[in-house]
Amino acid sequence: MSEIANTIFSPETAARFDHLVTIYPLKRSALVPMLLYAQDEIGYISDAVIAEIAQRIDLLELDVRNVLSYYSMLRTKPAGKYNVQVCTNISCMLRGGYEILDHCKHKLGIGHKGTTPDGVFSLEEVECIGACCWAPAIQINYDFHDDLTTEKVDVLFQMYRDGLSPNTTGKDVK
Amino acid sequence: MPSLVSHPDEVKVVSRRFGMGATDIDKYVELDGYKAVQQAIAKGPEWIITEMKASGLRGRGGAGFPTGMKWSFVPKQSEKPKYVLVNGDESEPGTCKDHVLFLHDPHAVIEGTMIAGLAIGSKLGFIYLRGEYRYLLKIVERAVADAYAKGFLGKNIFGTGVDFDIITQTGAGAYEVGEESALMESLEGKRGVPRIKPPFPAVVGLYGGPTVINNAETIANAPHILLMGGEAYAKLGSERNGGTRLFGISGHVERPGVYELPMGYNLKRAIYEVAGGIKDGKKLKAVVPGGSSCPVMTADEIDVGLDFDQMGKAGTMLGSGGIVVLDESVSIVEFALRTIAFYQHESCGWCIPCREGTDWIKKTLTRVYNGGGNKKDVDNVQYLAENMLGRTFCPLGDAAAMPTIAFVKKFRKEFEDYVEGHKAGTPIITVEQLVGAH
Amino acid sequence: MADVTLTVDGKKITAPAGTLLLEACKSAGIEIPAFCYYPGLSLQAACRMCVVRIEKMPKLQTACTTPVTEGMVVTSESPEIAQARKATLQLLLGNHPLDCPVCDAGGECELQDMTFKYGAADSFYAEPKNHREEQKWSPVVYFDRPRCILCYRCVRMCGEGMDVFALGIQNRGSSSVIAPNVPAQMSPDDLAHVDCEQCGMCIDACPVGALTSGTYRYKTRPWEMNHVSTICTHCGDGCKTTLGVRSTTDGSEIVRGDNRDKSGINVDFLCNKGRYAFDFANNEDRITQPLVRQPNGEMEPVSWEVALDHVGKRFRELRDTRGGKSIGVIGSNRTTNEEAYLLQKFARTVLGTNNIDHHRTADYVAFARALAGTTDRTASLNDTLTAPAIMILGGDPTIQAPATAWNIRTNVRNNRARLYIANSAEIKLRRQAKAFAHIAPFSYGALASFLAGDDSAVDALTHSGADASSFHDFRKAIRAEESLLVLLGSEFRGADLQRLLAFGKTLPNRKFALISDYVNSRGAADMGLLPDLLPGYTPLAGNTTFAEYNTPTAPGLDLLEMFEAAGSGELSALYVVGSNPISRYGVDPASLKDTFVVVQDMFLTETAALADVILPAANLYEKSGSVTNSYGDLQLVNKAGDRAGVRTDFELIVRIADKMDANMKALVPFGKGTRADMGQSRGAQSGEADRHAVWLSANNMEPKLSPFDPFAILDEIQRLVPGYNLLRLQLLSGNAQHLQPAVNANDLVQIGNRRDLVLPANDTLFTSGTLGRYSAMLSDLQHNESLRPPTGLTQIQTAAD
């Protein structure tokens, strides 16, 4: 049974999930996308999310936990409204990725996987995000920001803080 | 938005429509889009596979397996449905070519998927993008929807009576899922742990059905090959390495970017001419030629043609086409540590040598880096890597071992000097920065 | 498949094509090490210990995933291979706590053995090891993460083997961890737990000490125990359990139960009861002195001599004054065949009564009668592992007969056996079933008729959840099976059972088994603990087999009739051996007020509480003999534990008979004219005597010097009981042998309207009749179970094909 009576998701997301389980040869294929979309809406993968997704896909909750703990983008604790993901992998490192990370830490006053007290920003050091030729690069939620300098980071943070998400790479989905 | 670059030496095949607004389906059609697939429908699978074989196209993900041959391995008769799976889980550090491809020419990937489907007798294709590429997924989803709206996908495509569907899929952060069998596991809603081979995906793949899995760039080449003819495509490249390839040049160069160069193009020239040479006039120290898993080349080793065979002969690999350039300021100890830290983070943990090996190399190099190492540690790192090589469940172990061995062997003196000189030295970056993260 | 020939280490070996190289080598005596490989479970190739060199292959290959092919040339040991294995071990040991001196697995650890073999003694690492606290996942399952080598055997055992899926793999890379299904944050005590069947198979499969059992943890070392293989007392499957025994001041204590050598009828399997529920033997409430009720009503401890004298005198007196017919005897489902046989012989030839019965948990009388005169119609437990098609009607093997359920799951998984289930409940095994017929409650009689061809019976089966066509389809499918193993639950009794079997035996290649509840429920019936039938279901009247008994030919009182007789003052004495009818049948205790009651038991049960004499008895783990499981598979019981102050039921029956001045040579045909010792080899040394007897038997010598020797009675069973023409060597070797009741069809007299006295035990996975109440571990598990509402175990739907 994929349609859930008391869903914890918005009607749009619930409808999307109702559809998602129908498109694959096996509905379990919907699991990874569903977890990611659920996180986009709820902010993290809560126990309630696990329970509902398990029910939608006819899986044990343990199965869902096994899978979600494998993928590094999925988290079981809330993050900030804007999750700043700084790439420090080789190409970014060569072009100042660690300076950007240090700057973010200093500017936001938080460390890796930390969240600012106001809940606006969280910070994460991440592995290669596929922006090597435009390094150093970060992602804020799903938005890429590349060819960065510490000054550009300051501007970005201010814009996010002001609610003007600088839509460089398409609509922010969060 | 990633900026586009260009250079006169480029031969634009797969990047032909970059920057031309081809995400728009009408524009794509105007630029010869969806012609190849219609020819493919008309001429049939034999013809497609013959052209693909003639093109000499080899897998652009990094393994370089001949694409036409891969398609021909799929059994003609199968009780279970057959599938095409496009690997857009681009995660190899130094690699961002598929990023540009999805951004500028998503329809080429769709059309290529359809051609692969026609070649093997499949009616359903999947395009899997890494989770971080959400904005690209939206572009691809839009393109797929447009293709359905035009009747290019779905039932009775182009009015020919042929059916073909495409499902787009997102990952959620896992390098290992780029391995083809782990990719299938992930697509089936499981942990991205590879499968035992044999059976190979061409026989038992997704949902147990025969499956062709190709890198996005490989697939996007298919329509071009059919339009220009396999032989013409082959001629663009070098011997046994047909066509052109997207090379992402990053690191310490003046003009980093994704360039399409003929197979066999000289690496030194790519760095000094195409990418504008070493940044700020510094000296070249080393090159990681095809993504982080390729053994490093020293500055005097790079006068070599960029194709699978020549790079193999040079003791390294062509890999994913991500050329990472290191200038004289780079500490190889730091670079080696950052590389192994990545593999340690991304090891799926399934098999002992990779799970424990990457972890111990990282721990040892971390100590070395922070000034607590000695010469024995350098030996240990090499011993650990050599005992990982060829012994792991999937290629990730090799991908971690090969560069490690190369760093230690080719820059042994630097390692030894480092442990001598950094007994109480100040690290360039802190441990917390490097490893506390993971 | 055809055989192929390959060369391993220069030696030519043959194996069927497709056999895994590791298995082919094992069959040829070449051991290839492996942590993750476990026969019958899915392949992993994760530990990389089984790497071998195969000619023409570029890299070392894993023997656990490589099928043998013709002409393959393999090297299984070489410096290169040894180095690969050593390197793997070095990596594992880098983070291993090396707490072998206190680890339960020490001495039985595959990591230890491999390290010993490949010598990975040097360590390269200066970094501290990752320490994690031990976790208590349940009263019986403890997890010590640093010891875990991530072979995933436990995960597969739980999921594939048990179909429970309580263990998973979480995180990735070096953070990977085995995780139980109740995470800490979902648990009232903020600790992770496992919600499962508590079978302990994960512990069994663990090659190291990462998973340890709550009963055995930190108790002793493997080499300090004697390991005695015997048969579990708890259910009708009769699994072999190996009991680890250690000497104490008052006997020898059982410290561990496990499936050590996997040589039993249960092969790989052992459930929680077989593994942990031996602890009743060590319960402090055990009675260890004979008790006799004094004129003031109090029970007082007395010497054995006084107690037995009292019982013998009273029995003789009551028999002589009020007649044998005034005495009742109730036997046990947990005593050996020899004891059951001796008890009914004692009742019939010494007490002179047919008033003998036991708590019947399945109708073996109807079963034997319906199949009388047939051959090859009864199934062995082994057949459930190999039959291409199995049908289960009624019952719930998962709970009632876990080894049966294990075998069936294994058979479905590895051999693609087709499983058909008809049940009024949605039993767990339906997940493996090709077809599940969900019948209406209480419609087993109709099911028997319908399967036997009566279409009109289908109406009684249907309900809102299942229409008539589903039952027709089901019947069609099973009829189409060329051969079929039919397992029957105790719901099928009397006329229903006979009707079903009468029809079933007209079809070719149908074999049957009737599932009952305790270790020797079948043996109790086979041995004639019945008021109307002699051993082997031989009628009382007109038989020649038991002519020497000189038994009254009129049927005696059944169990309930005995209590009715007691209530009306007609039962002068009641002799209860290892049974608790007062509780089981809800008998009014007052009904026994005028009856002389003798109870042999371990504990002060509801029945024992009413006794005039209580004789402290040994349990099944403290004696030797044989038992017969639900299927009719005969197995050897070996004495493992010992407790000062208790006696086997066998010895007690003999000694009471002796006190009644019975003809001992007639009762127990021991020795050749020698009157052997009466006591000096008892007590803590009796195991020696029994072992000595086994040794003598095995050497074709005359062992029966003692009237307490069960083998003296086994001889008589073999001689007289139809169907028990057993192979002595087979039995003594610890192997099971399948027996079929072979009562002569001509001998059969139909006894009309037998009373249905079948009362299934209705045990759960964590209960075991009265005995189970004295197992601290079972009590803990019941309590543990009560803490959590049932979770998802039943929600997965798995297709079997």
Side-chain angles (χ1 to χ4, degrees), chain C residues 201-215:
Chain C
M201 286 301 286
C202 53
I203 303 170
D204 195 294
C206 182
V208 297
L211 289 165
T212 54
S213 99
T215 52

Side-chain angles (χ1 to χ4, degrees), chain C residues 659-676:
Chain C
K659 292 289 182 191
M660 291 176 73
D661 284 341
N663 178 351
M664 294 311 293
K665 297 293 274 228
L667 185 65
V668 185
F670 69 100
K672 298 250 190 304
T674 318
R675 177 131 178 142

